[in-house]
């Protein structure tokens, strides 16, 4: 039953772009949407039936196993969501992947709407194609992982902020904003800090020029930050090992162990986390984050895979 349901949802995913008037009324964007959805389904099929495409293969099966009821002693909201879905439509790893592709198809709604809000719709079809075809998102948004849900949550929140900035506050925009942030936090507790940033920095920005209400809201949000941050930390502490280690004062040791655990990656381009002191940890962390986005640098290209990675880095910089 699960694979039959997967076929049904596969066909349904191609109808989802039609729900967006911006896509439906622009034929090149519609074709671009169908093309990238087909590419995601191809990636899901290959990953399920032929060969793993993601290095996070363990995560894919862990979430699926929670959904299938094989793992029962782990609290994971995404896994529980899959479990409810499987109970209705049947257990199938491919079905879980197809569900992710359907959610990816829905990310096209806020993506295109945000483009039009920002006045970037002249190259709308091309942007849809690039957004959907880059290999990193193509792979990780086509499998049983949380990334695609985090993506749609972020896009919803960003669209709502821009809409409030341009047209003012409304219940629909405010609901969309907090629904997007809620999806971010539910799918990954660490993203609660990004959600706080969007609330305390994004909302005042969105309400600028809206009279005294915007100014008062900005002051209230800033004053509430010292109160809200500890509350959020305490709330998610039980589900976050990193927060537990931070509270116990063992965060540097935890970071060192975690870094050692992931040294199996293909290349770290010569950077690593230093845990001798807090200052060296922060400095090395900044370097690692920069290299995460920029590596490989031209002089670090040493294989065909590096050539591809370097090309994607250049492409992302040009898109900025």
């Amino acid at each position: 039953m699960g694979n039959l349901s997967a076929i049904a949802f596969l066909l349904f995913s191609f109808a989802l772009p039609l729900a967006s008037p911006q896509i439906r009324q622009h034929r090149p964007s519609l074709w671009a949407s169908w093309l990238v959805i087909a590419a995601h389904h191809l990636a899901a099929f290959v990953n399920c039936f032929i060969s793993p495409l993601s290095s996070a293969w363990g995560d894919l099966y862990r979430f699926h196993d929670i959904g299938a009821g094989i793992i029962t002693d782990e609290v994971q909201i995404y896994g529980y969501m899959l479990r409810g879905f499987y109970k209705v439509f049947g257990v199938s790893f491919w079905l879980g992947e197809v569900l992710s592709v359907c959610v990816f198809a829905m990310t096209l709604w806020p993506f295109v709407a945000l483009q039009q809000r920002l006045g970037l719709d002249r190259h709308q079809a091309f942007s849809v194609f690039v957004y959907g075809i880059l290999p990193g998102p193509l792979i990780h948004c086509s499998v049983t992982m949380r990334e695609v849900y985090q993506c749609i949550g972020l896009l919803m929140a960003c669209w709502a902020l821009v809409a409030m900035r341009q047209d003012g506050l409304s219940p629909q925009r405010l609901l969309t904003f907090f629904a997007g942030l809620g999806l971010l936090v539910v799918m990954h507790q660490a993203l609660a800090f990004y959600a706080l940033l969007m609330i305390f920095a994004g909302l005042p920005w969105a309400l600028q020029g809206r009279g005294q209400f915007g100014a008062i809201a900005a002051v209230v949000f800033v004053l509430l930050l010292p109160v809200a941050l500890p509350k959020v930390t305490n709330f998610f502490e039980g589900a976050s090992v990193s927060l537990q280690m931070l509270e116990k004062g063992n965060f540097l040791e935890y970071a060192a162990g975690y870094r050692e655990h992931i040294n199996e990656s293909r290349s770290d381009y010569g950077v690593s986390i230093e845990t001798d002191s807090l200052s060296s940890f922060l400095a090395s962390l900044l370097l690692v984050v920069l290299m995460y986005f920029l590596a490989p640098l031209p002089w670090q290209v040493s294989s065909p895979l590096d050539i591809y990675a370097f090309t994607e880095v250049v492409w992302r910089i040009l898109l900025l």
Side-chain angles (χ1 to χ4, degrees), residues 2 17 37 80 144 160 170 254 274 279 301:
I37 290 171
Y80 288 161
T144 50
S170 75
Y254 170 73
E274 302 292 337
S279 59
V301 174

Side-chain angles (χ1 to χ4, degrees), residues 135 266-267 269 295-298 300-313:
R266 190 185 68 84
S267 176
Y269 298 109
L297 299 172
Q300 295 174 320
V301 174
S302 59
S303 70
L305 195 56
D306 285 334
I307 294 174
Y308 153 71
F310 175 71
T311 303
E312 184 168 324
V313 167

Side-chain angles (χ1 to χ4, degrees), residues 8-301:
F9 277 96
L10 185 153
L11 297 174
F12 173 67
S13 67
F14 287 95
L16 288 171
L18 296 171
S20 166
Q22 295 96 335
I23 298 176
R24 185 176 64 249
Q25 295 168 8
H26 190 251
R27 188 55 61 91
S29 296
L30 183 60
W31 282 105
S33 299
W34 284 338
L35 180 61
V36 295
I37 290 171
H40 277 68
H41 280 302
L42 178 61
F45 186 87
V46 170
N47 191 72
C48 181
F49 296 108
I50 301 176
S51 175
L53 296 177
S54 172
S55 59
W57 186 243
D59 281 347
L60 311 187
Y61 264 117
R62 181 168 63 88
F63 291 132
H64 169 72
D65 287 348
I66 295 172
I70 299 171
I71 297 176
T72 58
D73 59 348
E74 185 172 345
V75 178
Q76 176 51 249
I77 294 176
Y78 173 53
Y80 288 161
M81 185 202 73
L82 282 178
R83 185 175 301 179
F85 190 72
Y86 288 161
K87 282 183 179 179
V88 177
F89 298 103
V91 177
S92 164
F93 183 58
W94 185 32
L95 175 61
E97 292 187 318
V98 171
L99 177 61
S100 292
V101 179
C102 287
V103 177
F104 164 76
M106 289 188 284
T107 70
L108 297 174
W109 304 340
F111 178 77
V112 170
L114 183 59
Q115 266 195 308
Q116 296 209 345
R117 283 276 179 184
L118 296 173
L120 302 174
D121 50 317
R122 190 175 67 169
H123 305 293
Q124 180 173 297
F126 180 67
S127 298
V128 167
F129 175 76
V130 172
Y131 166 69
I133 211 66
L134 286 175
L138 176 64
I139 293 171
H140 292 101
C141 291
S142 304
V143 294
T144 50
M145 294 180 70
R146 299 168 293 182
E147 274 73 2
V148 69
Y149 298 90
Q150 297 164 12
C151 183
I152 193 172
L154 179 63
L155 284 169
M156 288 168 60
C158 289
W159 173 86
L161 285 178
V162 173
M164 284 189 281
R165 171 85 176 194
Q166 292 179 344
D167 297 333
L169 192 63
S170 75
Q172 178 204 9
R173 295 172 193 133
L174 201 58
L175 179 61
T176 302
F177 175 70
F178 283 106
L181 295 187
L183 190 56
L184 278 177
V185 175
V186 163
M187 287 297 160
H188 202 304
Q189 289 79 21
L191 295 178
F193 295 101
Y194 290 94
L196 282 176
L197 179 64
M198 295 191 75
I199 291 172
F200 292 106
L203 269 182
W205 171 83
L207 297 174
Q208 266 187 348
R210 298 294 162 189
Q212 290 185 346
F213 176 77
I216 293 172
V219 172
V220 170
F221 290 142
V222 171
L223 291 177
L224 284 178
L225 182 59
V227 178
L229 191 57
K231 297 290 185 183
V232 172
T233 302
N234 292 335
F235 182 78
F236 289 109
E237 182 184 345
S240 175
V241 177
S242 57
L243 288 178
Q244 293 173 17
M245 293 299 104
L246 181 62
E247 184 184 30
K248 295 176 181 177
N250 299 328
F251 187 76
L252 294 182
E253 292 81 357
Y254 170 73
Y258 189 83
R259 178 65 180 176
E260 183 179 349
H261 174 68
I262 62 171
N263 273 341
E264 61 208 32
S265 60
R266 190 185 68 84
S267 176
D268 59 8
Y269 298 109
V271 296
S272 61
I273 295 289
E274 302 292 337
T275 57
D276 298 333
S277 65
L278 181 60
S279 59
S280 64
F281 171 77
L282 294 175
S284 61
L285 179 63
L286 177 61
L287 181 60
V288 166
V289 171
L290 287 174
M291 291 299 289
Y292 176 82
F293 287 108
L294 299 177
L297 299 172
W299 56 87
Q300 295 174 320
V301 174

